Amino acid sequence: MQHLKIKIEKLEFQGEPVLKDIELTINQTDKISIVWPNGSGKTTLMKILTGEITEFEGFLENIWNMKLGYLHQVYSDNEEKLVREELAEAFSQIQEMDKKLKDLEQNMTEHPEIIEQYTSLLEQFNNIWGYDYENKIHGVANGMWILDLLDKKLTEVSWGQRTKIALAKVLLESPDILFLDEPTNFIDMASVEWLESYLQNKWSGWYVIISHDREFLDKTCNKTLEIQPQKPATMYHSAYTDYVIEREKVEKIRMDDWERQQEYIEKQTGLINRFRAGSRAGWAKSREKMIDKMEKVEKPFIPKKPKFFFEYSDESPEKLVSYKEAFIGRDKKSPLFFINEIILHKWMRVWVVGENGVWKSTFIKTILGQIPLLEWYQSIWKASQILYYSQMHEELYRDLTMRENFYKHWINYPDEHLIWLIKHYLFEKTDLDKKVCELSWGQTSKLLFCILGQKTSNLLILDEPTNHLDYDTRESLEFSLKKYEGTILFISHDRYFVNKLASHVWFITDGELSISYGNYEDYRFKKEYKLDMDMHLFDEDAQLNLVLEDKLWEKEFKRLKYKFWKWKKRR
């Protein structure tokens, strides 16, 4: 039976331990997610599994020499290459055979003896569906929404689009085992949903995934491998949500066992110290040896969770931002999309949605005044106090230290206060003197949130706030944002996050921004059943809109009604 087997006794970088005591077998039916906080070695483990890292104590066995596929970003020596040519490299064997067949065809008239060779090669070519590879490129490109990029050069596409291209290429290579490291980063929601469906319904092989998209893991994986810093890995036979529940149970049992043993050792140590010098000194010495030989229960590793702070200014206008008959874009000759009329009201939580390339970030920068409105009416109320979180952390100075970045934002706290503050975001005292460029992307995200949390606001504008954050950090961020009393406008491809936070949807499609209500589930439900996007699924009292009954099958209507009955009960 085909399988991949690995044992890592120890792996160190510059004398620092990274992974140890990991033993893992990946079988043909496995669909595994690797989880745990940033910095625990998930990507390092994947690079070992794919053979990119070979210097470690242990071994890797690839039984039957299976073909491994690893998601890479597109970095090419030839940036003038077309996207179509980049994807075609996934079929290098077919292309070589095709070229050889054409050479043989040209020479057959003069050399009839090669007909047998040509016939044999043609049969092999047909057996591997050689004539179909261009259709496969077209199909995957269509699913990943990059069909219109096929005849563009790599220099002409964005990094988000390059992620899609890289993902399409590794899928087209059809490896036996697929290794995907953060495949949903920087791709739009439609592409994430397509990838989910592809892995669930069309991909016949096995795969290992690292992702912070919790819904994506629930829908695609049947096992969860937990990697803890410098500790053995643990395999859970469940998808992410069930793994979290099971992990909490296991952690509680381990903590109870550890606390009971500590209490026992403490009592015994007290008795040993009491009788050490008296008539029962022999008993005390014997008991001390017993304690030393006892197999100690290791204290379970329970990661700390950061605390996010968002200070509301206690004042907010009823209307913060409004547009009417407005064109958004960077050039008057080619506006990107049109807004008939929208108003951002107090307390709204608005999710801005659209495929990659529909200029959601351009819209946000127009609100911020960084890009001028092309035409007509825009109003930003004077009492609007806006804080902006950019996905590329543009508000930070990468060549300055953390301390200097606080000062640049007019946060002149003494070191004692800064140390107290950054510890809420899981930094250490020594991190204050690190330059931002020395931090991981996850740490950089937390630093920016830490700085923004020291300023008052009544409107938060967030561009992909959950990118680079691990699971526990995302949940802490969600909790703090739900407590925030101001208005929130955000871009996100994290469906779990959107479902927790959104009350309204502003979606950009066909060159226009339109409005809907509810969260991601509501938005997708309306798209699936071709309902009007501006239709309320429920009113202010959480009563289901009865107009839906005429538009849906009775069974579906009852399901929806039950869903919102539960929503009303929670509220």
Side-chain angles (χ1 to χ4, degrees), residues 47 90 118 130 186 208 212 246 328 346 352 373 471 481 488 517 548:
K47 287 184 176 180
Y118 175 81
F186 305 113
V208 179
H212 290 123
E246 185 63 24
I328 304 295
K346 183 180 180 180
V352 181
L373 184 70
Y471 319 93
L481 289 173
I488 302 174
Y517 303 88
L548 292 176

Side-chain angles (χ1 to χ4, degrees), residues 65-327:
N65 197 29
M66 293 172 294
K67 183 180 178 183
L68 310 182
Y70 185 29
L71 175 64
H72 285 278
Q73 187 57 274
V74 181
Y75 298 105
S76 177
D77 293 334
N78 180 11
E79 290 289 295
E80 296 298 308
K81 186 192 304 179
L82 297 180
V83 171
R84 185 188 302 277
E85 293 170 336
E86 177 69 26
L87 296 180
E89 288 180 4
F91 301 97
S92 56
Q93 180 188 1
I94 289 176
Q95 289 181 314
E96 287 173 11
M97 291 178 70
D98 189 28
K99 184 178 183 301
K100 194 169 183 179
L101 282 168
K102 288 175 180 175
D103 290 342
L104 290 171
E105 284 173 2
Q106 291 177 353
N107 295 320
M108 261 194 292
T109 306
E110 297 179 7
H111 302 280
E113 71 274 7
I114 64 174
I115 292 177
E116 187 175 340
Q117 181 185 354
Y118 175 81
T119 305
S120 174
L121 186 61
L122 182 61
E123 185 179 356
Q124 293 178 45
F125 191 74
N126 288 328
N127 286 339
I128 61 174
W129 296 85
Y131 291 112
D132 196 42
Y133 81 90
E134 288 187 354
N135 288 333
K136 289 180 180 178
I137 289 174
H138 190 279
V140 172
N142 186 50
M144 293 301 295
W145 300 80
I146 56 172
L147 199 57
D148 59 331
L149 303 179
L150 289 180
D151 293 312
K152 288 190 175 183
K153 297 177 182 178
L154 291 177
T155 52
E156 298 173 327
V157 301
S158 69
W159 286 107
Q161 291 167 331
R162 286 189 178 213
T163 300
K164 290 185 178 185
I165 294 165
L167 184 52
K169 184 177 180 181
V170 77
L171 292 176
L172 288 168
E173 288 171 350
S174 298
D176 298 300
I177 309 178
L178 197 57
F179 293 89
L180 303 177
D181 192 347
E182 295 290 2
T184 62
N185 270 7
F186 305 113
I187 65 174
D188 54 63
M189 215 164 275
S191 298
V192 172
E193 290 170 355
W194 178 87
L195 178 59
E196 281 176 352
S197 176
Y198 189 92
L199 292 174
Q200 288 173 314
N201 304 315
K202 293 187 177 180
W203 185 259
S204 58
W206 351 335
Y207 50 78
V208 179
I209 297 174
I210 295 173
S211 176
H212 290 123
D213 186 329
R214 294 154 289 187
E215 186 163 339
F216 179 75
L217 294 182
D218 272 340
K219 290 183 176 179
T220 57
C221 296
N222 56 21
K223 289 184 178 181
T224 304
L225 181 69
E226 179 186 272
I227 303 291
Q228 296 186 10
Q230 303 174 35
K231 292 194 176 184
T234 305
M235 183 72 82
Y236 290 81
H237 294 264
S238 58
Y240 177 77
T241 296
D242 290 335
Y243 145 75
V244 171
I245 296 169
E246 185 63 24
R247 186 191 79 185
E248 289 176 353
K249 291 178 182 177
V250 170
E251 283 178 349
K252 187 178 185 309
I253 292 170
R254 288 174 178 170
M255 183 59 77
D256 289 344
D257 290 344
W258 180 80
E259 288 176 347
R260 275 195 298 270
Q261 188 180 69
Q262 291 301 305
E263 184 179 352
Y264 174 78
I265 290 173
E266 188 177 338
K267 286 181 180 178
Q268 294 301 311
T269 302
L271 290 172
I272 290 166
N273 291 335
R274 179 179 175 186
F275 296 114
R276 193 183 298 276
S279 58
R280 301 183 64 182
W283 175 89
K285 191 171 183 179
S286 173
R287 184 54 57 102
E288 189 172 29
K289 288 181 180 179
M290 182 201 74
I291 295 294
D292 290 339
K293 291 180 181 179
M294 178 188 297
E295 185 176 348
K296 303 296 190 298
V297 176
E298 188 175 5
K299 186 177 181 179
F301 173 76
I302 300 177
K304 294 179 181 178
K305 293 185 179 182
K307 293 181 181 178
F308 292 85
F309 302 96
F310 299 100
E311 190 173 345
Y312 179 55
S313 64
D314 293 327
E315 291 183 4
S316 177
E318 288 299 320
K319 300 176 182 178
L320 292 98
V321 178
S322 68
Y323 287 89
K324 188 169 184 178
E325 298 176 354
F327 287 92

Side-chain angles (χ1 to χ4, degrees), residues 385-546:
Q385 294 178 257
I386 302 174
L387 283 184
Y388 173 53
Y389 174 94
S390 65
Q391 66 167 314
M392 300 308 294
H393 312 129
E394 295 159 12
E395 300 83 354
L396 297 178
Y397 301 84
R398 294 188 58 79
D399 290 329
L400 299 182
T401 65
M402 284 178 59
R403 181 190 287 102
E404 290 167 336
N405 268 273
F406 279 104
Y407 295 160
K408 278 284 188 179
H409 284 268
W410 304 100
I411 302 170
N412 298 310
Y413 298 154
D415 272 11
E416 293 78 8
H417 192 160
L418 284 179
I419 292 166
W420 172 84
L421 177 63
I422 65 174
K423 282 191 174 180
H424 286 294
Y425 295 83
L426 307 186
F427 290 105
E428 297 298 329
K429 174 182 177 180
T430 53
D431 292 328
L432 271 179
D433 294 314
K434 285 184 180 178
K435 290 184 178 181
V436 173
C437 60
E438 298 176 50
L439 303 177
S440 69
W441 279 104
Q443 289 176 319
T444 308
S445 298
K446 286 187 282 189
L447 172 60
L448 180 52
F449 275 121
C450 182
I451 288 173
L452 295 180
Q454 308 313 302
K455 304 178 181 183
T456 59
S457 67
N458 52 35
L459 171 58
L460 293 178
I461 297 182
L462 311 173
D463 191 353
E464 297 290 1
T466 61
N467 273 7
H468 313 296
L469 301 181
D470 59 45
Y471 319 93
D472 289 337
T473 303
R474 289 184 180 206
E475 289 173 5
S476 296
L477 176 61
E478 288 158 7
F479 177 77
S480 299
L481 289 173
K482 288 181 76 173
K483 288 175 61 180
Y484 176 67
E485 297 178 44
T487 305
I488 302 174
L489 181 73
F490 67 98
I491 297 170
S492 178
H493 293 131
D494 184 337
R495 293 160 295 174
Y496 192 94
F497 178 80
V498 174
N499 276 329
K500 284 281 191 78
L501 196 60
S503 65
H504 294 72
V505 180
W506 290 357
F507 60 99
I508 305 168
T509 184
D510 298 327
E512 185 172 358
L513 186 145
S514 305
I515 300 172
S516 185
Y517 303 88
N519 58 16
Y520 167 75
E521 284 185 3
D522 304 324
Y523 173 74
R524 186 172 183 185
F525 179 86
K526 291 174 185 176
K527 283 186 69 177
E528 183 178 351
Y529 287 95
K530 297 179 173 56
L531 302 174
D532 294 335
M533 281 293 178
D534 60 355
M535 178 187 292
H536 286 273
L537 291 183
F538 55 93
D539 61 22
E540 292 299 320
D541 295 321
Q543 298 295 329
L544 186 64
N545 186 340
L546 296 180

